[in-house]
Amino acid sequence: MSLALAALSHAPSFGNVDPGGTIFAEINEALTEVRSFVDDFAPDVTVIFGPDHFNGVLYTMMPPFAIGAQAVGVGDYGTGEGPLPVDSDVARQLHALTLAQGIDISRSERLEVDHGVMQPLEFLFGAGFARPFVPVFVNAIGKPLTPMARIRLMGEALGRAAQQLDKRVLLVASGGLSHNPPIPEYDGAPEPVQQRLVTYAPSKEDRAAREGKIIEGIQAIADGRASSSPLNEEWDQKLLKVFRSGSLSDVDGWDNDEFIAEGGSAAHEMRSWIAAFSALSTAGDYSMVIDRYWPVKTWGAGFGITAAIPQNS
């Protein structure tokens, strides 16, 4: 049994909008480094904590967090579509072991995942990968959200569960740092928006058209033809400092509304990082072995790539 962690940002702009300068080359260099880290660790199974963007998990049922015992990719932004190589036995074990610790976590036998889960997995393992994994959905945009402390406690419970598997478990976190895309809210929204947040099932053509408009909007920002709320590098570094220090209980007092005010509408994607680092912390103090960050102004987002291992490894 052993644990290791890789935490990566995801972005629809990746590969679609040039961030300028040497940033894209630097990000790809860091991705090569983290892939080498993962290959050296040689995981038996990967557990990925990630959000959804109202593509797979909707208000038909919006759990705070859920383990997928079977999963399909929705295929957004060119990521994998269809059935995925989920280790169903491990997923069900993790679900039962986490529940036994008093954490109310849901189980799905058909979890739909979007680029929030798929893009980091494809960064690490390539398109069409066959490596066994377990997806853990962490709600980041479907309000109301749990208090931040619950995410830490869920991560710790899942980390302890992972240590009972007698396997080498790679913990992966997926989520953007500060960024502020337009995100619909159900409460108070017009009826067509509410319906979309309950039953969104676009055709491939409709999905492609919507994604094209989003990429066009990001490109307009990159070209200076449109404005966006700026990323918050100071806030990003505040979070990264917590992950570096291992003082994860610091997140317990963070206010959900303040999180959005400081980090933007999608800042709560960092809940996935909180969960994954909390899971790793159950193996003792850890050390960061990869620690890269870029304030990508042309994307309007902070982008991070990190990896960590227990100090006793």
Side-chain angles (χ1 to χ4, degrees), residues 55-200:
N55 286 306
V57 183
L58 303 165
Y59 277 106
T60 45
M61 185 68 70
M62 182 61 72
F65 16 82
I67 292 175
Q70 298 181 73
V72 295
V74 303
D76 64 330
Y77 296 104
T79 58
E81 182 178 6
L84 297 169
V86 172
D87 190 323
S88 298
D89 290 340
V90 167
R92 295 173 190 132
Q93 280 183 271
L94 288 173
H95 178 251
L97 290 168
T98 304
L99 276 178
Q101 297 177 64
I103 299 297
D104 298 325
I105 188 168
S106 301
R107 182 177 113 188
S108 172
E109 292 292 339
R110 195 184 186 279
L111 185 65
E112 296 186 43
V113 299
D114 70 359
H115 71 280
V117 166
M118 293 300 295
Q119 193 177 62
L121 290 175
E122 292 180 353
F123 283 159
L124 295 176
F125 304 130
F129 65 91
R131 297 251 194 144
F133 79 102
V134 173
V136 182
F137 164 72
V138 182
N139 182 26
I141 60 176
K143 296 180 180 178
L145 297 168
T146 64
M148 205 70 69
R150 295 300 299 171
I151 302 300
R152 177 181 61 80
L153 293 172
M154 180 273 287
E156 289 175 353
L158 210 146
R160 287 188 290 267
Q163 292 186 71
Q164 296 182 56
L165 296 178
D166 193 29
K167 292 179 181 292
R168 298 176 65 81
V169 180
L170 175 68
L171 306 165
V172 176
S174 170
L177 287 143
S178 60
H179 61 308
N180 195 49
I183 294 177
E185 294 188 22
Y186 185 93
D187 294 348
E191 194 278 333
V193 175
Q194 291 183 335
Q195 191 64 29
R196 179 254 185 265
L197 296 178
V198 174
T199 60
Y200 185 56

